[in-house]
Amino acid sequence: MPQTPYYLIDERRLRHNLETVQRVRDLSGARSVLALKCFSAWSVFGLMRDYLDGVTCSSLFEARLGRDEFDKEVHAYSVAFAADEIAEVAAVADKVIFNSVSQLKAFGSAVAGRSVGLRVNPGVSYSHFDLADPARLHSRLGVSDEPSLRAVAPLLDGVMFHFNCENSDFDALATSVQHIVETYQWLLEQVQWVSLGGGIAFTGEGYPLQRFVELLRGLSSRFGVQIYLEPGEAVVTGCTELVTTVLDVVHNGVDIAIVDASLEAHMLDHLIYSTTPRLSYPGPGDNQMTIAGRTCLAGDVFGAHSMAEPLRVGSEVRFADAGGYTMVKANWFNGVGMPSIVVRRLDESIDVVREFDYADFKGSLS
């Protein structure tokens, strides 16, 4: 194994999620496109390509990556496209989804020949955090004004309702979909495809897949539309660890183990949302210690954990679920070394696909 820290992607665990995605596709007819904003480690796209219909992107660079490395359907959405990039977006995308009526009017002609969609804010959503709530007060995400929407509906091939974030509650999802059907029936009857976005935790343990399939199939059949899902976390949950080593142990009221990685630099979402990453190793036990990162940020702390064994200098610590919304946000704060990217392939071989060095740090700015 390489020197720590490194992100370890396990293809067998990844395939387990992908098989659920494929099952939903086969039973419901809904297509799934990987949300690159969540996970864009293209070293495992070869496996993912066999189970997914393509990618959905939130920027020109993501769209280019999707075309270069996935090369199936490429859906390009942005909160706001820039005038100097729209031609290139159109060149690599199959579907272009605008966030506002004004952007649709400004750039619709520039994406002629592509399937055109518009994001609609249905006014209902599911999220544990206001920060991630697509329908929060004064949200800029999608069109909410019905008269404006009716005026441009003839220009649309499809529509996107992205209204979930980490939603494992099927009943809440079904209620929201019913609201969308009742509110936008007139629109659903006009378009060819409908995306329900991402944030639906349908690969989780115990999720009612049959009811989910029936919901998707019923929506598609009723309106004669192709349904799309945009899974990100649902695809990669449980398949990636951040592997670290303890560099020092200090004491200030509690024992604190300092590892060779950083919450701020390498698992930023936990810092943003004030959550604590789960340990995958060591296992649970009676030894209580705080685990902290090596940057100068006082709050660079992975949390207090009760472990099967006390941590010492040289101990290995693994943090679970370091794939979704984690690797894509890694940064060079304090110049701390970027974790390598390592893949455990289906045949159990270990593939070190990327290591980073000083030249990468220096080249990240100028």
Side-chain angles (χ1 to χ4, degrees):
M1 299 299 289
Q3 181 178 338
T4 61
Y6 56 89
Y7 296 111
L8 177 61
I9 306 170
D10 190 317
E11 283 195 330
R12 290 193 176 187
R13 295 180 182 180
L14 177 59
R15 184 175 62 181
H16 175 76
N17 295 332
L18 290 166
E19 287 172 343
T20 300
V21 175
Q22 184 180 53
R23 180 183 172 194
V24 169
R25 186 193 196 282
D26 291 344
L27 294 175
S28 70
R31 297 176 183 172
S32 284
V33 288
L34 174 68
L36 294 187
K37 65 181 178 181
C38 173
F39 184 83
S40 57
W42 50 272
S43 56
V44 292
F45 280 4
L47 172 64
M48 304 176 90
R49 192 182 297 115
D50 292 336
Y51 296 86
L52 296 166
D53 295 282
V55 297
T56 183
C57 314
S58 298
S59 65
L60 169 60
F61 285 174
E62 284 188 356
R64 287 180 57 180
L65 179 67
R67 178 55 65 207
D68 288 346
E69 299 296 336
F70 214 98
D71 201 26
K72 294 181 77 172
E73 288 192 52
V74 175
H75 298 195
Y77 162 80
S78 177
V79 173
F81 290 109
D84 62 356
E85 67 186 12
I86 194 65
E88 192 171 358
V89 169
V92 297
D94 300 289
K95 291 179 172 61
V96 179
I97 304 169
F98 294 103
N99 183 68
S100 67
V101 169
S102 56
Q103 285 246 307
L104 172 63
K105 291 180 177 179
F107 300 128
S109 60
V111 298
R114 302 306 180 195
S115 186
V116 174
L118 184 67
R119 180 171 181 169
V120 175
N121 188 330
V124 294
S125 57
Y126 186 102
S127 176
H128 299 286
F129 303 96
D130 181 67
L131 182 64
D133 186 350
R136 63 186 291 188
L137 183 65
H138 306 310
S139 174
R140 74 201 190 287
L141 302 176
V143 179
S144 57
D145 179 64
E146 184 174 331
S148 298
L149 185 57
R150 284 185 179 272
V152 298
L155 304 176
L156 303 177
D157 300 305
V159 61
M160 178 176 75
F161 299 97
H162 180 23
F163 58 99
N164 291 284
C165 178
E166 297 185 355
N167 184 0
S168 59
D169 185 339
F170 174 79
D171 290 330
L173 172 68
T175 298
S176 295
V177 170
Q178 182 59 33
H179 168 81
I180 289 171
V181 168
E182 293 173 354
T183 306
Y184 297 101
Q185 177 176 338
W186 63 270
L187 179 59
L188 300 176
E189 291 171 344
Q190 297 184 45
V191 295
Q192 302 164 20
W193 54 266
V194 174
S195 172
L196 295 180
I200 306 171
F202 65 93
T203 59
E205 188 72 27
Y207 194 84
L209 281 181
Q210 187 57 41
R211 295 175 65 196
F212 184 50
V213 164
E214 291 170 357
L215 176 72
L216 299 174
R217 193 165 53 207
L219 186 62
S220 176
S221 176
R222 177 174 176 180
F223 296 103
V225 293
Q226 174 63 60
I227 300 297
Y228 282 94
L229 303 173
E230 301 182 0
E233 190 71 50
V235 172
V236 300
T237 185
C239 79
T240 305
E241 298 171 307
L242 174 61
V243 184
T244 71
T245 300
V246 175
L247 300 177
D248 195 11
V249 177
V250 299
H251 185 85
N252 186 2
V254 296
D255 290 327
I256 306 168
I258 301 171
V259 298
D260 57 356
S262 162
L263 189 75
E264 160 123 6
H266 307 140
M267 299 191 85
L268 182 59
D269 243 26
H270 285 289
L271 191 64
I272 292 172
Y273 291 102
S274 299
T275 53
T276 299
R278 179 173 58 86
L279 290 187
S280 52
Y281 183 83
D286 298 327
N287 296 280
Q288 296 186 359
M289 296 186 74
T290 294
I291 303 174
R294 67 187 299 194
T295 74
C296 65
L297 179 71
D300 188 357
V301 177
F302 290 90
H305 296 272
S306 298
M307 294 163 285
E309 56 192 67
L311 298 177
R312 301 179 174 87
V313 172
S315 294
E316 182 177 275
V317 177
R318 297 185 176 218
F319 300 97
D321 275 324
Y325 293 102
T326 302
M327 297 172 71
V328 294
K329 295 187 178 183
N331 62 75
W332 289 99
F333 181 61
N334 266 198
V336 173
M338 189 73 69
S340 302
I341 300 174
V342 180
V343 180
R344 180 183 288 118
R345 299 295 183 184
L346 294 177
D347 63 3
E348 294 293 318
S349 64
I350 298 298
D351 186 4
V352 181
V353 297
R354 181 68 194 272
E355 293 179 293
F356 300 89
D357 57 19
Y358 169 70
D360 295 304
F361 165 66
K362 184 177 180 181
S364 66
L365 293 174
S366 61

